[in-house]
Amino acid sequence: FGICLGNQLLALAAGAKTYKMKFGNRGMNQPCVDLRTTRCYITPQNHGYAVDNHSLPSEWAPLMVNANDGSNEGIIHQMRPWFSV
């Protein structure tokens, strides 16, 4: 399980890539959508890098996305109980 920087580290360990965001997601009230349920959560955030969804290996999938800019906010393994937000 990883949170914030843990999301980026888990993605890098899995073989995905990260990129520097132009402005980053900073502050309170950032909307994040759970792709399993389409439920939106309001979250506090402070990060300037994001995981590149297209670089995720086939056994990994995006879990959460930022509703404002579509950036990755979490990943999940398809078979193992590994995920991050």
Side-chain angles (χ1 to χ4, degrees), residues 22-72:
K22 185 172 182 176
F23 299 108
N25 291 334
R26 309 200 187 282
M28 304 299 284
N29 302 325
Q30 294 286 327
C32 289
V33 178
D34 184 333
L35 296 176
R36 300 169 300 176
T37 64
T38 67
R39 184 173 180 178
C40 185
Y41 296 91
I42 302 301
T43 64
Q45 296 182 15
N46 184 24
H47 60 90
Y49 287 83
V51 175
D52 179 5
N53 285 336
H54 302 295
S55 71
L56 285 170
S58 60
E59 63 272 8
W60 290 87
L63 175 62
M64 306 281 284
V65 295
N66 186 291
N68 288 334
D69 62 10
S71 63
N72 180 286

Side-chain angles (χ1 to χ4, degrees), residues 9-23:
L9 292 175
L10 187 60
L12 289 170
K17 296 181 180 179
T18 61
Y19 63 92
K20 183 167 177 50
M21 303 171 76
K22 185 172 182 176
F23 299 108

